[in-house]
Amino acid sequence: MGAPSALPLLLLLACSWAPSGANLSQDDSQPWTSDETVVAGGTVVLKCQVKDHEDSSLQWSNPAQQTLYFGEKRALRDNRIQLVSSTPHELSISISNVALADEGEYTCSIFTMPVRTAKSLVTVLGIPQKPIITGYKSSLREKDTATLNCQSSGSKPAAQLTWRKGDQELHGEQTRIQEDPNGKTFTVSSSVSFQVTREDDGANIVCSVNHESLKGADRSTSQRIEVLYTPTALIRPDPALPREGQKLSLHCEGRGNPVPQQYLWVKEGSEPPLKMTQESALIFPFLNKSDSGTYGCTAISNMGSYTAYFTLNVNDPSPVPSSSSTYHAIIGGIVAFIVFLLLILLIFLGHYLIRHKGTYLTHEAKGSDDAPDADTAIINAEGGQSGGDDKKEYFI
């Protein structure tokens, strides 16, 4: 009884140790492919491979189960679909100018016994349209609140919108998503509100759309805003250090939007106002000490006014180095240098003459010592007389 009871166990072990050629054959005959993602308007390549084709051909079908290619034979008349590669172990096709309607599961089949298939999910990305900004109608006044809206359609999946002012990020409302009538793409929208300042005058408010189909490319729209604000002013003197007798211009530099149209000049302690003009400069043709004082310039626009002050102190007249005096100074320096060189030369020349004159006098003195004097000549003459009969006289 023990031997028969062990027989099923032995048969099970034999089956597990037996070659699994049938299973290997089934695995090798199973085709494989991969999912693909493509941007609308682009090209997608569908590649199907098999290790053991069992003398059968591979076939591609679309989501509607229409045969596209059976081996190298075209089955559907669609010029967008082209054969890339057809071998016993591979069938690859391409679909160009992909549309949103091309999205879905594509089937690769091999007609073995039984028929084996593999699925490839093709995802088509809808490219978002360039965003549109609305809500800005006219110039804003300083401290007003600006509200702008941004919208972009055609994205799949839904895109995201972001706001910025120049390089500064603006925190807008969360992106709102609405399905388009085609049932495949989406329209996204967002709003942003902020209080404007004078620094925002001329600023660009940018709405950008972010989506994987753009692959990092910028797709944005900007809206330039104008901010009206009260003027400011600053008085600048020319020259900076005015002196008595000079010409002086006080420039009132006004800023604002709109630019100041009128300037009112006053001097503290004097009536009436000095000047009301569209020109921003107050000119003193010839400064006097009496012109010293505090001056005010009021810059006026239809947004308001602003007054700047400047205290004028007229300094005593003093010669200001000019180009001619500088030229004369240079010439004087050159002449002084030449005189200095001549003086040095005269000193060396005098020293040289003194030395050579002393040498000449020394040689002259030696010459006088060597010549015989009158007494010596007479003595010699007398000595000659004692030595001979004839008397001779020598005169020197």
Side-chain angles (χ1 to χ4, degrees), residues 11 24 37 77 85 94 133 137 154 197 241 260 284 290-291 301 306 317 331 334-335 337-338:
L11 291 175
L24 288 176
T37 300
R77 294 184 178 276
S85 175
S94 67
I133 296 178
K137 298 179 181 179
T197 65
L241 297 175
F284 299 83
S290 60
D291 293 325
S301 73
Y306 180 89
I331 296 299
I334 295 175
V335 171
F337 181 72
I338 293 174

Side-chain angles (χ1 to χ4, degrees), residues 127-133 150-153 207 209 219-222:
I127 304 175
Q129 297 177 3
K130 186 175 182 178
I132 300 174
I133 296 178
C150 182
Q151 179 176 292
S152 174
S153 302
C207 175
V209 57
R219 179 155 294 187
S220 60
T221 299
S222 64

Side-chain angles (χ1 to χ4, degrees), residues 164-291:
R164 71 176 187 272
K165 178 175 63 177
D167 296 330
Q168 175 188 356
E169 181 180 359
L170 293 177
H171 299 286
E173 297 180 357
Q174 186 175 2
T175 302
R176 301 181 295 273
I177 302 173
Q178 181 179 358
E179 189 177 62
D180 292 335
N182 59 19
K184 296 181 178 295
T185 58
F186 299 90
T187 294
V188 293
S189 58
S190 177
S191 300
V192 67
S193 297
F194 58 95
Q195 188 180 63
V196 298
T197 65
R198 62 182 58 202
E199 286 76 18
D200 295 328
D201 183 36
N204 286 317
I205 311 302
V206 181
C207 175
S208 300
V209 57
N210 301 319
H211 196 260
E212 55 186 305
S213 66
L214 300 176
K215 299 179 180 179
D218 178 66
R219 179 155 294 187
S220 60
T221 299
S222 64
Q223 174 65 63
R224 185 180 183 276
I225 63 174
E226 182 182 17
V227 180
L228 305 177
Y229 58 94
T230 56
T232 59
L234 175 68
I235 299 177
R236 178 178 58 84
D238 183 22
L241 297 175
R243 296 185 180 274
E244 189 175 10
Q246 288 183 329
K247 177 182 178 180
L248 173 67
S249 297
L250 295 181
H251 297 278
C252 187
E253 298 176 347
R255 291 184 63 249
N257 188 15
V259 176
Q261 295 89 20
Q262 285 187 326
Y263 296 89
L264 175 65
W265 285 95
V266 297
K267 182 182 179 182
E268 289 187 354
S270 65
E271 295 289 343
L274 300 177
K275 189 178 183 182
M276 169 70 83
T277 178
Q278 294 181 350
E279 298 178 357
S280 60
L282 180 63
I283 300 175
F284 299 83
F286 191 87
L287 273 179
N288 293 312
K289 285 285 189 178
S290 60
D291 293 325

